[in-house]
Amino acid sequence: AIRITQSPSSLSASTGDRVTITCRASQGISSYLAWYQQKPGKAPKLLIYAASTLQSGVPSRFSGSGSGTDFTLTISCLQSEDFATYYCQQYYSYPFTFGPGTKVDIK
Amino acid sequence: QVQLVESGGGVVQPGRSLRLSCAASGFTFSSYGMHWVRQAPGKGLEWVAVIWYDGSNKYYADSVKGRFTISRDNSKNTLYLQMNSLRAEDTAVYYCARVARPDGSADAFDIWGQGTMVTVSS
């Protein structure tokens, strides 16, 4: 199975900050990577697919980049509603795997 | 609107069985691959199983292979997860999720249900 790591596991930031989360796959997955946002008690929400394509309705302050094994999610100007946990997921091969998550909280 | 609604969760003893359902509405269910994803309390997301849009292919996580069975009834717009020989480590919120594009299997999940809690405990 493809292993996915994320860093950092958590971070504290302020509204208006630029935040970057990285995701690394144990083998090449081309651009078959998605990013999700999850708030407590809620289902995950798709933000980015195909590594860099913004899902419809997602604010443009979210962006994704990378291919192969290394990927990043960037939030250009953190808003109060962005405090949440973020997961990356590879869908290159089964079993699909998620990263362990990055919790973004208020500094 | 496009919606997935899970049901069937509850408290069950180790070794027993449970069947989860996921009712789909607002889209052509028979055109989309569907997944189950679970999340243990306070933990991250774990992919469980997938079934292709026509039911022709199914894949499972190693942790559930041989115990769980994914199925679908396209005439009822419903996805199922039959869970047998349940263990304490199967305790989690179970989500059903839709792939983003019709007729696709390798794709991100754009629609999720609200989740149903399964607790395995004696």
Side-chain angles (χ1 to χ4, degrees):
Chain A
I2 298 174
R3 295 186 318 278
I4 301 293
T5 56
Q6 271 183 253
S7 61
S9 57
S10 65
L11 66 91
S12 296
S14 301
T15 303
D17 284 353
R18 181 181 182 90
V19 168
T20 298
I21 299 168
T22 64
C23 178
R24 176 164 290 175
S26 61
Q27 65 186 74
I29 58 171
S30 185
S31 295
Y32 290 85
L33 187 104
W35 290 96
Y36 300 88
Q37 176 194 67
Q38 187 180 34
K39 296 181 178 179
K42 300 295 187 180
K45 172 187 175 182
L46 178 64
L47 299 176
I48 302 277
Y49 63 94
S52 60
T53 303
L54 197 66
Q55 172 70 353
S56 175
V58 174
S60 59
R61 63 181 179 272
F62 291 92
S63 64
S65 65
S67 68
T69 59
D70 294 310
F71 303 86
T72 61
L73 172 70
T74 299
I75 310 172
S76 60
C77 183
L78 199 66
Q79 301 298 300
S80 58
E81 60 266 32
D82 301 335
F83 292 99
T85 300
Y86 293 85
Y87 296 92
C88 58
Q89 177 212 23
Q90 68 82 18
Y91 52 97
Y92 178 80
S93 68
Y94 296 115
F96 289 0
T97 40
F98 291 88
T102 296
K103 184 175 182 180
V104 177
D105 62 20
I106 303 172
K107 183 183 289 183
Chain B
Q1 74 279 21
V2 175
Q3 194 174 10
L4 298 170
V5 178
E6 300 95 338
S7 60
V11 180
V12 61
Q13 293 179 328
R16 303 298 291 265
S17 299
L18 204 60
R19 188 178 82 158
L20 305 183
S21 300
C22 169
S25 59
F27 65 99
T28 305
F29 179 70
S30 59
S31 294
Y32 289 83
M34 296 293 298
H35 295 253
W36 287 99
V37 176
R38 68 184 181 182
Q39 187 169 36
K43 302 297 184 182
L45 301 169
E46 180 188 14
W47 177 81
V48 172
V50 60
I51 185 167
W52 288 23
Y53 67 99
D54 58 359
S56 60
N57 286 284
K58 305 173 187 180
Y59 297 94
Y60 299 91
D62 286 346
S63 57
V64 307
K65 199 174 295 181
R67 300 187 299 122
F68 289 12
T69 301
I70 189 171
S71 62
R72 65 191 297 157
D73 186 336
N74 285 345
S75 69
K76 295 183 178 179
N77 292 337
T78 303
L79 174 74
Y80 302 101
L81 186 67
Q82 177 67 44
M83 304 186 294
N84 298 332
S85 303
L86 282 161
R87 306 167 180 168
E89 54 265 35
D90 296 318
T91 295
V93 174
Y94 285 73
Y95 297 100
C96 58
R98 187 191 83 167
V99 297
R101 290 172 296 177
D103 303 334
S105 59
D107 212 341
F109 307 160
D110 67 335
I111 304 296
W112 295 65
Q114 85 287 352
T116 187
M117 183 70 202
V118 173
T119 302
V120 183
S121 174
S122 54

